[in-house]
Amino acid sequence: MSTTLAAGTSLDFTLAQQLTVIALCALTAYISHMALAVFNDGVRPFLLDFIQGRTTRSATTAVSFGLSAGFIFGLGAPMALSTGVLNPWLVFLPTDILGMLAARKWLAPILGAAWGAVVVFGLNGANNVAHDLPVDFLTAMQQMSTPILFLFTLFPVLAITKQFGRRWGGIAGVLELVLVVMTMKLWPDMFAGALAMAVGVLMLIGLAVSKDVRQRRADRAAGATDDVLPDDDPMASLFSASAARLRRYLPLFMVLGAGVCVLAQMHIFGGGEATSFLIAKGQYSEAAQVDFYRVFGFIPLIATTALASGAYGIAGFTLVYPIGYLMPNPFVAAVVGALVFAVEVLALSWIGKLLGKLPSVRDSSEHLRSAIGDTLQLAILFGSLMAANAMGGGLGILVVGGLYLLNEAMGRPVVRMAAAPAAVIVGGILLNILYWLDLFTPIKG
C-alpha cells in the first residue's frame, strides 16, 4: 500500500465546507465561553474552579493557552498544511482559548467565527506560497505519513505489554506482524495495519475484562462490596451535579454533535495524525477504524473529567469522528451526530458507575493513551527527520534535529509531540533563506 500523498495537497474548500467550519468554530467558542466543554483534556479539570467562581476567566484563559499553543502551531498547522486535511488541534484548540478569552457571551461566537474564517481562507494562501518556495517543506512533510501510519499500528502491543507483561506483549507483537504481512499480501489496497490494530485492541479489552471478571468473582467469594462510591460520598454528589448540569444543556450538545459529525462527513477533517493521512488518501473506512480504536483510550478519561468538572469534551467521546467519515451525506450525519451526543451526555452517570466496577478496563484506557503517545512521538520524530532529509539532505537533518534537541535541552518550551513538525517548518524557512543568500542548493526531485 502506498502512503505517499499527491504533491499538491489543497486546502481549497467549497462554500458549504467553509460555512460549516466557520459556524462550528463559532459554536465551539460559545460553548467554551460557557465552560460547558473544551477540547483540551488537560484544561477540563481546571474548569471546575472557574465554574464555582474560585478562579477568574483570565487565569483560566492563560491555562488554556499555555496547554494548547504548542499543539496549535507545532502540530495542528503543520499537519493541516502537509495533508490538506483539517484536524482538531487547529480547529478546536483555538476556540477553547478564544471562547474563554471573550468577556461577553455574544463576543465568543464572533471570535470563533473569525478563527474559522482564518482557517478556511488563510491556510490555502499559506499553502500555495509554501509550495512555490524553492525548498518546498510542505511536500517534504508528507514523508511523515509512512512512519505515522505503520508505527501507530503498534500501540495495542505496547498497551498490552505495559499492562499484562512481556509474554502477552510478545504474543500480540507476533500476531500483529503476521496480520500486517498477510494484509499487505492478500489485500494490498487496504491499510496494512487495519486488521492488526483491530485484533490488538480486542485482545487488550478481552484481557482486561477477563481480569476484572475474575477479580469480582474472587471479591464476591470473599464477601467484598462493589467498588462504587456511596451516595453520601462528596465525589458522588459532585459527579451527580456535574451530570445534571450537562443534561440541562442537552439541546446545545446535540447541535454540537451534529456539527462535528457533519465536518467529519465532509472528509476535510481528520481526528488524529494517522487519520489525517488516511483521509487525504481517500481511505475513509480505514480512517474510521483507526479513530474508533482511539475511542477506547479516551472514554474513561473524558467521562471522569466531565463528571468531576462539569465540562464535557468538544468532540464528546470522539465517536462522531468515525461515524461521520462513513455517513452518506451531511443531513444523515447531522441527525446521527446529534443522537450520538444525546446518548453520551445522558449516559455519563451510568458510564462513571460502570468504570468504577472495571478497574482493569480503566487501566487499559490509560495504557492505550500512553501507547498512542509513545508510538506517535517516535513516528513524528522519525518522519520529521525523513522530511528534513528530503528537503535539505544532511544540512536539513542537522537543522531540524538540532532544533528538536535544543527544544529538549531548554526544557521543552514546545511540547515534544509538536516540536519535530515545528522544527521542519522553521528549518524549511531557514533553508529558503540560505538559498536566497546563495548558500544552499535545493535537492531536486
Side-chain angles (χ1 to χ4, degrees):
M1 182 199 72
S2 171
T3 55
T4 303
L5 307 183
T9 53
S10 174
L11 285 157
D12 188 14
F13 303 112
T14 66
L15 178 60
Q17 292 168 344
Q18 291 170 347
L19 293 176
T20 298
V21 173
I22 292 171
L24 187 57
C25 285
L27 176 63
T28 53
Y30 176 77
I31 289 174
S32 171
H33 174 87
M34 299 282 287
L36 288 172
V38 290
F39 180 77
N40 194 320
D41 295 319
V43 173
R44 202 171 302 118
F46 291 93
L47 292 183
L48 180 63
D49 285 341
F50 174 73
I51 291 168
Q52 296 183 347
R54 292 194 295 266
T55 189
T56 63
R57 181 173 295 277
S58 59
T60 309
T61 302
V63 170
S64 182
F65 181 83
L67 293 176
S68 302
F71 287 102
I72 296 169
F73 301 108
L75 186 60
M79 287 295 295
L81 289 169
S82 61
T83 63
V85 175
L86 301 179
N87 57 69
W89 306 287
L90 184 65
V91 177
F92 298 141
L93 286 182
T95 59
D96 281 1
I97 301 168
L98 294 171
M100 191 56 61
L101 175 67
R104 296 287 183 270
K105 189 180 295 187
W106 57 267
L107 182 59
I110 293 176
L111 293 177
W115 175 253
V118 169
V119 169
V120 296
F121 296 118
L123 278 181
N124 196 45
N127 184 60
N128 292 335
V129 170
H131 281 305
D132 289 337
L133 292 173
V135 180
D136 184 357
F137 53 86
L138 293 186
T139 298
M141 286 185 72
Q142 294 173 12
Q143 297 286 330
M144 296 170 63
S145 64
T146 300
I148 286 177
L149 288 173
F150 280 88
L151 287 176
F152 185 76
T153 302
L154 292 173
F155 78 87
V157 176
L158 299 188
I160 290 171
T161 305
K162 290 179 178 181
Q163 186 170 5
F164 296 104
R166 289 176 290 182
R167 182 170 66 90
W168 279 112
I171 293 171
V174 171
L175 183 58
E176 282 212 1
L177 178 60
V178 170
L179 291 172
V180 167
V181 173
M182 184 177 73
T183 302
M184 295 176 73
K185 183 69 175 177
L186 300 179
W187 305 290
D189 294 332
M190 180 190 298
F191 169 45
L195 182 59
M197 278 191 291
V199 172
V201 170
L202 289 174
M203 186 175 174
L204 175 65
I205 295 172
L207 289 169
V209 171
S210 177
K211 182 178 179 180
D212 281 335
V213 168
R214 290 196 306 270
Q215 185 61 49
R216 287 178 63 79
R217 286 175 180 168
D219 289 344
R220 281 198 297 267
T225 58
D226 288 343
D227 181 21
V228 294
L229 295 172
D231 292 337
D232 59 349
D233 187 283
M235 288 301 295
S237 299
L238 174 62
F239 282 13
S240 177
S242 296
R245 177 178 189 261
L246 296 175
R247 286 196 297 270
R248 285 199 301 271
Y249 293 94
L250 184 62
L252 188 59
F253 281 116
M254 292 177 69
V255 175
L256 175 62
V260 176
C261 200
V262 168
L263 183 65
Q265 189 279 332
M266 289 180 165
H267 300 148
I268 60 170
F269 175 91
E273 299 89 346
T275 316
S276 293
F277 285 107
L278 290 170
I279 292 291
K281 288 167 55 62
Q283 297 181 312
Y284 308 131
S285 60
E286 286 88 345
Q289 191 174 348
V290 168
D291 271 355
F292 179 72
Y293 301 145
R294 291 173 66 109
V295 169
F296 294 103
F298 287 89
I299 284 181
L301 172 68
I302 294 169
T304 53
T305 55
L307 290 170
S309 68
Y312 199 41
I314 286 294
F317 293 146
T318 69
L319 272 171
V320 286
Y321 293 164
I323 290 172
Y325 303 148
L326 301 177
M327 288 294 100
N329 60 65
F331 303 104
V332 176
V335 173
V336 174
L339 292 175
V340 168
F341 256 51
V343 171
E344 290 181 7
V345 172
L346 293 174
L348 265 179
S349 293
W350 177 82
I351 292 171
K353 293 176 181 177
L354 178 65
L355 291 172
K357 300 177 182 180
L358 298 172
S360 295
V361 173
R362 292 201 309 270
D363 291 344
S364 294
S365 169
E366 294 176 6
H367 288 302
L368 274 175
R369 291 198 309 277
S370 174
I372 288 171
D374 289 344
T375 54
L376 287 176
Q377 280 180 11
L378 176 61
I380 290 173
L381 174 60
F382 187 65
S384 296
L385 291 175
M386 290 173 62
N389 182 64
M391 69 183 183
L395 180 59
I397 292 175
L398 172 66
V399 172
V400 172
L403 288 171
Y404 179 88
L405 292 173
L406 182 61
N407 184 69
E408 290 285 308
M410 295 172 63
R412 299 190 198 120
V414 179
V415 291
R416 180 178 281 171
M417 187 82 77
V424 174
I425 290 183
V426 174
I429 293 171
L430 179 59
L431 290 176
N432 277 292
I433 292 173
L434 292 176
Y435 167 80
W436 290 322
L437 295 174
D438 202 23
L439 297 174
F440 173 72
T441 301
I443 294 177
K444 301 297 181 183

